[in-house]
Amino acid sequence: MTNSVLAGAKSIGQHLFGGYAELLRIPHTVRFSVGSVIACMPFPMVGMTITISVQHYYGNYSLAGALTAVQAIALAVASPVLGKLVDKFGQRQVSIPTIIVWMIAATALVSCITARVPSWILFCIVPFMAAIPPWGAMSRQRWTTLLKGDTEKTNRALSLSGVFDECMWVIGNPLASTLAVISGLLAFSFTGVCVVVGALMFLTELSTEPKSQTQLAREAGMTRKEYREREAARSKALQAEAAIEYARDRARSEGKTAAEVQAAMDQAAADVNAGRKESIWGPGLIAVCVTWFGLGAFQSAASISIVAFATEANMKQYTGFVFACFSFSSLIGALVYGAKNWTIPLWKRFYFCLAVVDLGIGSFMFAKHLWVIMIIYLFIGVCQAPTWVNGNQLMLHLVPPTRFTEGMAWMGAMNSIGGSVGSAIAGQFIDRMGSHGGFIVVTALALTSLAIALFGFKQIKDSTEQPMLTTVSV
């Protein structure tokens, strides 16, 4: 009996996680995947540490929200720039000087907070905390380069990246709340060690590093501008081919004449040529980025509101564990979601997961206890990582491969800008109305976010019917 149970469990485990194990057996993938997660520790820890430390030393949620908002805006500005520089010049060439800037800024910020310097000095330092290399985007670019042409494995690798990201949040959130309550210096010191260790693991793994546009252009005997123009032309040709085929099949299914079918094909080709130039920006990418803005706004507002709620209940030390429950649930969702080869259209999966997260977090205003929020997080968290995985998969349809880091950085940037708006607004309401005022903002922003996503329904749905631009051979 025991043996059969063990055999059944082993069979289920192999079915669910065998694909992940296969990916991690590819040489050198473990090193850069784990390294990127460790180096990403500033993401879960910096915002939480700033919020708790500033509230402790200055007693002001508005200042804490404003500082995290400025840091998020700076991150939103810096991320696409860094992503573009990485694509142009290479991962190591951009990451090393960026890390040095972050270490200096972190040391200065924690020293100033503990010394209770005038707030304007903090606002001068915080923007430099955005000097964080786009580790997640760079890791995903390595995966898409290694697995080029294998859609199923690429999707599973993106899910695996989501799993690693959630591991970072599961560990980072409770650590940040615990260490920041003890000492802001301790929290920032731990984060700095993680950055150095993770960067060494990631950047010293050279065999999987994708070639930059500069390297590819040099090998092709072109300038970088000429290379990007050729790449854009190939991407456009692939998109036009798919659009023509789709228009032909749709016209035939509607029983149109041969002349009408040809006219539909010609119109589809003309639409593609008129609508997609060298810029990566198109209706689909704009719709996804605006949706990510809304997602960041209400989730950031929820974070600072939960801290305020826990502080009012004398349970501030447990806030990190509440966020960790969300991340743990999201990790489970990422594992299960990525293990299945889905036949349900991508846009349907995207909207279902997004709606669950939006409506679930929007219900926090009705919670009477911190543990109720934790339970809601446990239920809805299973859709958090799949929402991001779906967004990553949408990017594969929207940007060419050698600009994937830039596209991912723009998506993250819009999420950060939304987060800055959400935390700033929530901080003002919390100072005036307490945590309940913050949760009113959370509910309003969550419903607005869902409305924004539904408004861009056509653009997002249409983007999933385009070919994956990572299939372009360059």
Side-chain angles (χ1 to χ4, degrees):
M1 180 66 178
T2 303
N3 291 335
S4 63
V5 171
L6 291 175
K10 183 178 180 180
S11 175
I12 293 173
Q14 178 64 30
H15 177 71
L16 285 176
F17 309 124
Y20 294 132
E22 182 183 356
L23 291 174
L24 294 175
R25 282 195 290 267
I26 299 174
H28 314 295
T29 56
V30 172
R31 183 171 175 176
F32 78 73
S33 297
V34 175
S36 70
V37 173
I38 297 174
C40 276
M41 275 299 171
F43 288 105
M45 296 196 69
V46 167
M48 178 76 73
T49 301
I50 290 175
T51 299
I52 293 176
S53 297
V54 169
Q55 194 278 329
H56 174 73
Y57 285 102
Y58 291 83
N60 192 324
Y61 280 106
S62 294
L63 177 60
L67 287 171
T68 55
V70 169
Q71 194 258 349
I73 291 173
L75 189 64
V77 173
S79 293
V81 175
L82 290 171
K84 195 168 187 175
L85 290 174
V86 166
D87 285 337
K88 282 186 177 180
F89 302 111
Q91 296 183 349
R92 283 176 297 123
Q93 289 80 352
V94 175
S95 298
I96 293 173
T98 304
I99 292 169
I100 294 173
V101 172
W102 186 90
M103 297 292 287
I104 295 172
T107 302
L109 181 63
V110 70
S111 301
C112 290
I113 290 176
T114 54
R116 292 186 174 89
V117 302
S119 58
W120 67 266
I121 298 177
L122 302 181
F123 282 105
C124 292
I125 298 173
V126 159
F128 293 97
M129 295 296 293
I132 304 173
W135 298 111
M138 292 192 299
S139 177
R140 286 166 173 81
Q141 186 185 24
R142 292 193 180 205
W143 278 116
T144 56
T145 302
L146 284 171
L147 304 173
K148 192 173 185 178
D150 192 327
T151 303
E152 183 179 345
K153 285 186 177 181
T154 298
N155 291 340
R156 185 172 290 125
L158 293 176
S159 294
L160 180 62
S161 297
V163 171
F164 282 128
D165 288 346
E166 295 308 326
C167 289
M168 169 191 70
W169 290 96
V170 168
I171 297 170
N173 275 320
L175 268 178
S177 64
T178 302
L179 295 179
V181 168
I182 298 171
S183 167
L185 176 61
L186 180 61
F188 275 111
S189 298
F190 177 81
T191 307
V193 171
C194 289
V195 169
V196 173
V197 172
L200 286 173
M201 291 180 65
F202 188 92
L203 297 177
T204 56
E205 175 42 62
L206 305 181
S207 61
T208 56
E209 182 177 358
K211 294 181 180 179
S212 66
Q213 293 174 6
T214 302
Q215 290 174 295
L216 292 169
R218 188 182 297 119
E219 292 175 2
M222 301 177 176
T223 64
R224 191 167 57 246
K225 181 180 178 181
E226 291 171 340
Y227 179 82
R228 290 181 67 171
E229 289 174 349
R230 187 187 73 175
E231 178 192 305
R234 290 185 174 183
S235 298
K236 185 184 291 184
L238 178 65
Q239 192 176 32
E241 181 182 344
I244 290 169
E245 183 178 353
Y246 177 75
R248 181 194 62 202
D249 293 342
R250 185 175 61 182
R252 286 177 177 174
S253 67
E254 293 173 354
K256 294 185 177 180
T257 64
E260 290 173 330
V261 170
Q262 185 60 48
M265 294 167 62
D266 293 340
Q267 184 61 48
D271 289 344
V272 171
N273 291 329
R276 189 173 183 88
K277 301 179 181 179
E278 291 179 26
S279 170
I280 62 173
W281 289 98
L285 182 57
I286 292 172
V288 171
C289 285
V290 173
T291 300
W292 249 242
F293 173 90
L295 189 68
F298 78 82
Q299 291 193 342
S300 178
S303 295
I304 192 170
S305 298
I306 289 171
V307 172
F309 185 73
T311 302
E312 292 170 359
N314 295 318
M315 300 178 70
K316 184 168 64 174
Q317 67 272 27
Y318 297 112
T319 53
F321 293 97
V322 174
F323 294 128
C325 286
F326 185 47
S327 299
F328 177 75
S329 179
S330 182
L331 185 154
I332 300 301
L335 282 171
V336 175
Y337 187 80
K340 181 175 173 59
N341 186 24
W342 294 91
T343 56
I344 300 172
L346 175 58
W347 65 269
K348 289 185 179 180
R349 290 179 272 137
F350 173 77
Y351 275 103
F352 174 80
C353 293
L354 184 67
V356 170
V357 173
D358 281 37
L359 297 177
I361 292 180
S363 68
F364 285 174
M365 68 178 294
F366 305 108
K368 301 300 182 183
H369 198 281
L370 186 65
W371 304 128
V372 175
I373 293 176
M374 185 191 74
I375 292 170
I376 295 173
Y377 260 159
L378 281 172
F379 277 105
I380 68 173
V382 293
C383 288
Q384 168 71 357
T387 299
W388 279 86
V389 171
N390 292 332
N392 294 338
Q393 292 177 4
L394 285 172
M395 280 292 139
L396 296 176
H397 294 268
L398 297 171
V399 296
T402 55
R403 301 187 71 180
F404 183 74
T405 308
E406 181 185 352
M408 289 289 295
W410 273 113
M411 190 170 74
M414 293 304 294
N415 188 258
S416 296
I417 293 174
S420 69
V421 172
S423 61
I425 295 174
Q428 294 291 331
F429 274 75
I430 290 169
D431 280 338
R432 289 169 172 77
M433 303 171 59
S435 61
H436 183 69
F439 285 132
I440 291 174
V441 173
V442 172
T443 300
L445 289 176
L447 295 176
T448 303
S449 169
L450 189 57
I452 290 172
L454 292 173
F455 186 76
F457 171 78
K458 183 180 185 301
Q459 289 76 15
I460 291 175
K461 181 177 181 293
D462 289 347
S463 70
T464 64
E465 295 170 348
Q466 298 173 3
M468 290 174 61
L469 296 186
T470 50
T471 59
V472 179
S473 177
V474 295

